[in-house]
Amino acid sequence: MVTEPESKFIRIDDQEIPFVHGQTIMDATLAAGVYIPHLCHFPGITPQGNCKLCTVEVDGKPLAACTSPAAAGQRIRNNTPELNESRKALTQMLFIEGNHICPSCEKTGNCPLQAMAYHLGMLHGHFPAQFPVREVDASHPTIMLDRDRCILCSLCVRASREVDGKNVFAIAGRGTHASLIVNTANGKLVDSDIEPSDLAARICPVGAILIKEHGYDAPIGKRIFDQHKINEIGLEKIYIAGAKSDDS
Amino acid sequence: MTHKPKLKLATTSLAGCFGCHMSFLDMDERIVELLEHIEFDRSPFTDIKQLDHCDIGLIEGGVCNAENVHVLRTYRANCRILVAVGACAINGGVPALRNHFSLKECLEEAYVKTPDMINPHIPDDPELPLLLDKVYPVHEVVKIDYFLPGCPPSADTFYRFLSELIEGKEPQIGKVELRYD
Ligand code: SF4
Ligand code: SF4
Ligand code: FES
């Protein structure tokens, strides 16, 4: 059996931070208050490494921080112009692969994807816009599913299974054919057992899953990212409380 | 102070709502200050119809028809610096919501299926510019030098951008308040 080395530290950019056995690089850095950009990671939910925004260089190799275990002595580069440029390109792809018309979106101002794009200085989508045609599911009385904005992060899939003890969502298909499906006989949300208080209904980092009758609750200036920056650690509680958390 | 020649500025609105032009006017009296350094060429503000050679062209709105393509190409050919202004120019914006539907569906919805239409039919006057299959961001049609996001970009954003260009600096768009709505 390999014995664990004495010093349990990783070095990220110029900072040495501690970790405990079993933590990922993401867990350790978040605990130490160091921000690594991420969209598909949420504390307490099994990481899946979907968005790749958290890619850091570990001893020269690119790895997803949310799925890579921390190991003593790792030298990690995170906040570098090169990595942030790649993160911006990934974010641009997330925008052009869906239909993200922020001015008409209920999530605007409260949207982590939008806030990430601000953080990375994204001025335009760069790549040709795909304008995909995707199905909207408005069948449920209190929850709305607008797949135009889904970035396939699978947070709703994982939250439903791991926290809500249900199995409402799944991702079907691959590549550009991948889509979020609802695990009911006719594929409609209305026949599922999802409820607005479920984490799955609140965890979406974009305006793909929305609680009905709460659109545009907070006026401009009072929305989450009017008051916070995405690189603040521990914003998750505010996201899931939803747009009602206008700090007023 | 030495007097530099004034920069020539042209603006146009393609598939947009004129909100970006309104926001430009929200600079209020700062426009008077800018006019010491810039002069307007073709623009809805001046109603000049022909585009001369210009230093800066501001494009509001996405590209939705053949005339938009023509105007945009004319601006590119005549402007040293071409700027995509606002959400519609940058990603199609709200007009791009029609991209979910075929052109036929859109036209039928507007001109045939709308209740209480008198003589419902799809307009076919030859003077009307042909609609494109989709609404496109302007950078997919011509090369764009700068992007001013926002729906619309704030008056402060316009002011800062133009002031930096007047001073001969590289405008730092990422540093100004970045907003898509
Ligand atoms: S989900 Fe976010 S990024 Fe997408 S349109 Fe809505 S506000 Fe914009
Ligand atoms: S609906 Fe939202 S939470 Fe679910 S996969 Fe899509 S973006 Fe992620
Ligand atoms: S947060 Fe690590 S891949 Fe998305």
Side-chain angles (χ1 to χ4, degrees):
Chain A
M1 189 182 151
V2 185
T3 48
E4 283 290 315
E6 292 286 276
S7 63
K8 292 258 211 166
F9 288 94
I10 55 178
R11 176 167 280 275
I12 178 149
D13 294 334
D14 286 322
Q15 205 178 336
E16 194 150 82
I17 63 164
F19 71 95
V20 293
H21 184 72
Q23 271 186 321
T24 60
I25 294 171
M26 180 66 81
D27 296 332
T29 50
L30 283 178
V34 173
Y35 178 70
I36 298 176
H38 57 277
L39 281 172
C40 74
H41 177 73
F42 196 92
I45 306 252
T46 308
Q48 214 166 51
N50 294 322
C51 73
K52 298 293 179 273
L53 251 80
C54 70
T55 301
V56 289
E57 278 173 29
V58 182
D59 299 321
K61 280 199 288 281
L63 287 178
C66 67
T67 49
S68 303
Q74 278 170 334
R75 289 189 164 266
I76 300 167
R77 298 177 79 220
N78 167 40
N79 191 16
T80 69
E82 295 81 5
L83 284 167
N84 286 330
E85 267 310 302
S86 307
R87 290 166 180 152
K88 182 160 86 182
L90 288 171
T91 307
Q92 286 170 319
M93 289 184 219
L94 291 176
F95 270 78
I96 60 98
E97 283 172 4
N99 294 297
H100 292 276
I101 312 291
C102 296
S104 71
C105 177
E106 278 187 30
K107 190 91 171 189
T108 190
N110 298 319
C111 171
L113 174 65
Q114 187 187 58
M116 180 65 72
Y118 294 163
H119 176 69
L120 297 167
M122 183 186 114
L123 298 173
H124 57 95
H126 180 81
F127 304 101
Q130 307 288 301
F131 298 121
V133 176
R134 295 191 190 155
E135 198 193 337
V136 173
D137 180 349
S139 62
H140 194 280
T142 49
I143 300 166
M144 166 93 185
L145 176 57
D146 186 343
R147 291 181 177 86
D148 276 347
R149 306 177 189 129
C150 176
I151 56 168
L152 300 167
C153 70
S154 88
L155 277 172
C156 58
V157 179
R158 288 173 279 156
S160 185
R161 287 178 196 161
E162 296 176 16
V163 179
D164 305 332
K166 302 177 182 179
N167 186 16
V168 174
F169 298 106
I171 292 186
R174 291 185 162 270
T176 50
H177 300 294
S179 71
L180 184 76
I181 58 164
V182 179
N183 289 323
T184 54
N186 66 1
K188 294 286 183 208
L189 211 51
V190 66
D191 293 336
S192 76
D193 51 358
I194 193 168
E195 289 165 69
S197 56
D198 289 353
L199 186 59
R202 306 189 151 260
I203 199 170
C204 183
V206 290
I209 302 178
L210 294 164
I211 312 285
K212 288 186 179 177
E213 296 178 8
H214 285 291
Y216 312 103
D217 269 3
I220 288 181
K222 294 237 167 189
R223 304 166 308 175
I224 296 169
F225 294 106
D226 296 332
Q227 309 178 63
H228 297 278
K229 298 259 180 267
I230 187 96
N231 60 350
E232 289 171 35
I233 311 274
L235 285 178
E236 289 83 3
K237 282 193 210 77
I238 303 179
Y239 300 167
I240 56 173
K244 277 177 284 173
S245 65
D246 61 2
D247 286 8
S248 55
Chain B
M1 195 179 153
T2 51
H3 259 289
K4 286 191 276 183
K6 287 188 180 185
L7 295 176
K8 264 200 190 177
L9 174 75
T11 78
T12 190
S13 179
L14 309 178
C17 70
F18 273 95
C20 296
H21 277 81
M22 299 310 288
S23 187
F24 187 100
L25 292 178
D26 278 344
M27 276 192 278
D28 299 330
E29 67 277 7
R30 287 179 290 178
I31 292 177
V32 180
E33 180 197 315
L34 284 180
L35 287 175
E36 307 264 311
H37 308 280
I38 60 173
E39 62 181 316
F40 281 103
D41 193 79
R42 174 175 164 172
S43 163
F45 300 143
T46 57
D47 210 22
I48 298 172
K49 308 280 194 243
Q50 293 300 319
L51 183 64
D52 209 344
H53 283 285
C54 283
D55 296 288
I56 308 161
L58 303 182
I59 310 288
E60 167 191 325
V63 185
C64 84
N65 64 31
E67 195 217 358
N68 293 161
V69 175
H70 174 73
V71 172
L72 183 57
R73 287 191 175 146
T74 309
Y75 270 70
R76 177 69 280 179
N78 288 283
C79 299
R80 193 161 57 83
I81 297 168
L82 201 61
V83 189
V85 173
C88 302
I90 291 173
N91 66 11
V94 170
L97 291 173
R98 86 146 148 99
N99 295 354
H100 284 57
F101 308 96
S102 72
L103 203 48
K104 189 163 178 276
E105 285 172 299
C106 291
L107 289 166
E108 283 178 351
E109 189 65 34
Y111 295 106
V112 180
K113 292 188 187 157
T114 307
D116 303 327
M117 287 280 286
I118 298 163
N119 182 21
H121 77 289
I122 294 173
D124 56 359
D125 190 304
E127 291 239 334
L128 291 172
L130 280 178
L131 289 172
L132 305 184
D133 62 334
K134 285 191 166 91
V135 179
Y136 293 90
V138 293
H139 70 262
E140 292 190 26
V141 180
V142 297
K143 181 185 179 295
I144 295 292
D145 302 299
Y146 294 102
F147 296 82
L148 297 187
C151 185
S154 69
D156 287 348
T157 304
F158 279 112
Y159 181 73
R160 201 175 329 204
F161 177 77
L162 291 172
S163 304
E164 290 184 346
L165 278 184
I166 288 166
E167 288 168 35
K169 288 192 203 148
E170 180 70 20
Q172 294 297 319
I173 322 248
K175 300 281 184 287
V176 302
E177 201 194 344
L178 182 55
R179 280 271 275 273
Y180 303 155
D181 60 4

